[in-house]
Amino acid sequence: MNECPCGSGKAYESCCEPYITGKEPAPTAEALMRSRYTAFAVKQVDYLGDTLAPESKHDYDEAQVKVWAETSTWLGLEIVSTSKGMEDDETGEVEFIAKFRQQGAIQTHHEASLFEKRDGKWFYIEGDFVPQQPIKKEKKVGRNEPCPCGSGKKYKKCCG
């Protein structure tokens, strides 16, 4: 089995290939998202332009997208969340993280994407980068401070 790059666990031939080759439309926003990722991985960048809404093509640079696809090794796709985007919906949102290696460095592309169905076909409308959350460090409790458990004892004599 030639596993699909989208991470579904299915064979490419029965997963994203029918959408990329135009044999059938992606039934959901998530299926379109997965197939767009797969198009990068299998270097079928024409599909990316074909599934882009007409009003979203104003800043689409096919040559740049082709270079990105061809110079990257696609390492995996994680669907973080989906909202709507099912077969009966007209809009949907998919948040995803795509991992890839480019020039020897592993990078991530974390995006929240908006999709819209028109005449029975899903289109990518736009996406916003999701900023990386800073690592928060808890303030360390001092040995002689009151224990955070609420016992009234010093931390060193209680939970410390």
Side-chain angles (χ1 to χ4, degrees), residues 15-29:
C15 190
C16 291
E17 184 182 48
Y19 313 141
I20 293 172
T21 59
K23 291 179 183 170
E24 56 186 81
T28 65

Side-chain angles (χ1 to χ4, degrees), residues 46-111:
D46 289 344
Y47 179 72
L48 299 167
D50 294 344
T51 56
L52 190 61
E55 69 273 15
S56 301
K57 291 185 178 185
H58 66 279
D59 62 351
Y60 177 70
D61 184 343
E62 186 175 346
Q64 183 180 12
V65 170
K66 187 174 184 177
V67 168
W68 186 24
E70 291 178 351
T71 61
S72 299
T73 302
W74 298 89
L75 304 173
L77 175 68
E78 175 190 345
I79 302 297
V80 176
S81 66
T82 59
S83 175
K84 297 185 180 179
M86 301 309 290
E87 292 185 44
D88 295 335
D89 293 322
E90 297 297 317
T91 62
E93 295 178 32
V94 179
E95 182 179 343
F96 69 93
I97 300 171
K99 292 186 180 179
F100 61 97
R101 180 181 296 116
Q102 192 173 46
Q103 297 178 345
I106 294 177
Q107 300 184 41
T108 59
H109 178 89
H110 190 171
E111 182 178 309

